[in-house]
Amino acid sequence: MREAPGFNFTEEQARDLVGMLHQAATLLNDSAGYAKDNCDGNVAEPFLRHIAQILADLGWDVLEQGFYKEHPSLRPPSSSLPK
């Protein structure tokens, strides 16, 4: 397991950054959907694996460990993790 980043941004900075990261995650997810729907499986599969790893790292290492632990109010209501 990797060490959590434990960012020390102010809550306002964290809120702005988390918003941008959520937008990035949406775009990454959309790119995966596009590849899955429009590309041959042998072309899409390696791409999808990489995107899945990026999203997992972003979600756990950056958002959860780096931001939500310090600023739990920024965790989306849809999060299944405890606050």
Side-chain angles (χ1 to χ4, degrees):
M1 185 165 124
R2 287 177 269 188
E3 185 178 325
F7 305 130
N8 291 315
F9 294 109
T10 66
E11 187 161 357
E12 182 179 354
Q13 292 166 334
R15 184 175 28 270
D16 291 344
L17 289 165
V18 164
M20 289 181 238
L21 292 170
H22 284 176
Q23 291 174 359
T26 297
L27 289 171
L28 287 165
N29 193 50
D30 290 350
S31 73
Y34 177 88
K36 184 177 178 185
D37 293 344
N38 294 288
C39 303
D40 291 336
N42 62 334
V43 172
E45 189 59 35
F47 175 77
L48 294 173
R49 281 195 307 270
H50 284 287
I51 296 301
Q53 185 61 58
I54 292 166
L55 286 168
D57 290 344
L58 175 60
W60 182 253
D61 293 341
V62 177
L63 290 171
E64 182 60 38
Q65 300 298 313
F67 287 103
Y68 301 156
K69 276 193 172 183
E70 181 69 23
H71 304 286
S73 65
L74 298 180
R75 182 183 283 113
S78 61
S79 173
S80 61
L81 295 173
K83 292 184 178 180

